Amino acid sequence: MGDTLYKISYGLYVLTARENGKDNGCIINTAQLVTTTPNRISVTVNKANLTHDMIVNTGIFNVNILTVDTPQSIFEHFGYQSGKNVDKFADAQHNDNFSENGVRYLPKYINAYISGKVVQSIDLGTHTMFIADVTETKSFSDDDSVTYDYYQKNIKPQPKVESGGNTKWVCKICGYIYEGDEIPADFVCPLCKHGASDFEKVEEKSAEPTRYKCKICGYIYEGDEVPEDFTCPVCKRGAEDFEKL
């Protein structure tokens, strides 16, 4: 059932909040428009996230709409660590961008942000759904928004498993590898905080060479890296037109 649910067309967003001068953000995959008169959106947030508590206390937030060129480092920064332990906005590259509600938005890798003011909260057990009036929107580009499916296939690093080791289980959310004959039913991924139900057994196989595909003609190059002066023998394009498979 889990694999089927992941086929729903989720987006991926950085949800930001601010309370008492502290800024924080987390990755969410459930944000949508629910009414147009008035304009209202919903976001659903895990209660374990500090961002959740900040929104409960302040009632305001920003939804940062990520684009397909968002690097894995952004998902790791906002999704694989807790704002309870680190200052996610300590790095200057995330600073000095405030919307009208006083909450930060990201300066890169977003095509727009939406500011919300909570009008209703719905307790969903492990999560809270916040229904919010849209107080501001700002668009930066027409770049495609990243979906959960795109992230899984094109951004998230794929686990590399060599033969001869212990049984390995991979988290389908973030790629974390657990080693052991069985994964405990109460195990929680240390990176993305998902449970054992989101892990699948990895079939061991011999290591395969790294492959690069020419985006023009489909020619496959095998090697650790495509040399900068390499020319495709089929269409004569350069190394910049090759992408890693």
Side-chain angles (χ1 to χ4, degrees):
M1 181 173 67
D3 289 343
T4 300
L5 294 177
Y6 292 140
K7 294 183 183 297
I8 296 174
S9 184
Y10 299 105
L12 283 173
Y13 316 91
V14 172
L15 184 69
T16 50
R18 181 177 175 87
E19 181 183 13
N20 297 326
K22 178 178 176 61
D23 302 287
N24 198 55
C26 67
I27 298 291
I28 63 169
N29 63 359
T30 48
Q32 62 181 19
L33 180 68
V34 291
T35 64
T36 55
T37 309
N39 285 324
R40 282 182 175 168
I41 59 173
S42 70
V43 296
T44 304
V45 192
N46 193 311
K47 291 179 180 178
N49 292 329
L50 176 61
T51 306
H52 169 275
D53 296 344
M54 296 171 78
I55 294 173
V56 169
N57 294 333
T58 66
I60 57 175
F61 60 80
N62 286 339
V63 177
N64 296 261
I65 304 174
L66 298 173
T67 61
V68 292
D69 64 345
T70 305
Q72 174 66 9
S73 60
I74 294 295
F75 295 98
E76 294 175 355
H77 184 80
F78 287 100
Y80 291 5
Q81 57 185 349
S82 173
K84 298 175 183 178
N85 305 318
V86 299
D87 181 354
K88 296 186 182 181
F89 283 90
D91 190 329
Q93 68 173 317
H94 302 307
N95 285 346
D96 302 325
N97 297 275
F98 292 92
S99 57
E100 292 179 359
N101 62 4
V103 177
R104 292 188 189 274
Y105 63 89
L106 302 190
K108 295 175 63 177
Y109 308 120
I110 66 171
N111 55 29
Y113 69 77
I114 301 171
S115 298
K117 182 176 179 58
V118 176
V119 296
Q120 182 182 359
S121 299
I122 303 173
D123 191 332
L124 300 177
T126 59
H127 291 63
T128 298
M129 176 182 287
F130 298 105
I131 309 297
D133 284 335
V134 175
T135 58
E136 182 192 1
T137 64
K138 187 170 184 178
S139 179
F140 299 103
S141 74
D142 293 325
D143 294 344
D144 291 338
S145 302
V146 65
T147 64
Y148 183 81
D149 183 62
Y150 184 92
Y151 168 76
Q152 289 287 329
K153 294 177 178 177
N154 300 281
I155 299 176
K156 186 186 79 172
Q158 300 303 309
K160 296 180 180 179
V161 181
E162 307 295 337
S163 60
N166 297 325
T167 301
K168 294 179 175 64
W169 307 80
V170 61
C171 176
K172 294 182 287 185
I173 307 302
C174 70
Y176 175 81
I177 298 292
Y178 173 88
E179 292 190 5
D181 292 336
E182 295 291 338
I183 187 166
D186 60 350
F187 183 77
V188 175
C189 178
L191 296 184
C192 68
K193 313 306 179 186
H194 281 245
S197 60
D198 285 316
F199 280 73
E200 62 183 2
K201 188 175 182 179
V202 178
E203 297 298 329
E204 295 185 350
K205 59 183 180 179
S206 299
E208 297 181 355
T210 303
R211 294 182 172 87
Y212 295 82
K213 179 182 179 181
C214 177
K215 294 181 288 186
I216 307 302
C217 70
Y219 174 81
I220 301 296
Y221 174 88
E222 292 187 356
D224 292 337
E225 297 287 343
V226 179
E228 293 183 0
D229 59 352
F230 182 79
T231 299
C232 177
V234 178
C235 67
K236 310 305 179 184
R237 301 300 286 262
E240 68 276 6
D241 287 315
F242 279 72
E243 59 183 5
K244 188 176 181 179
L245 297 179

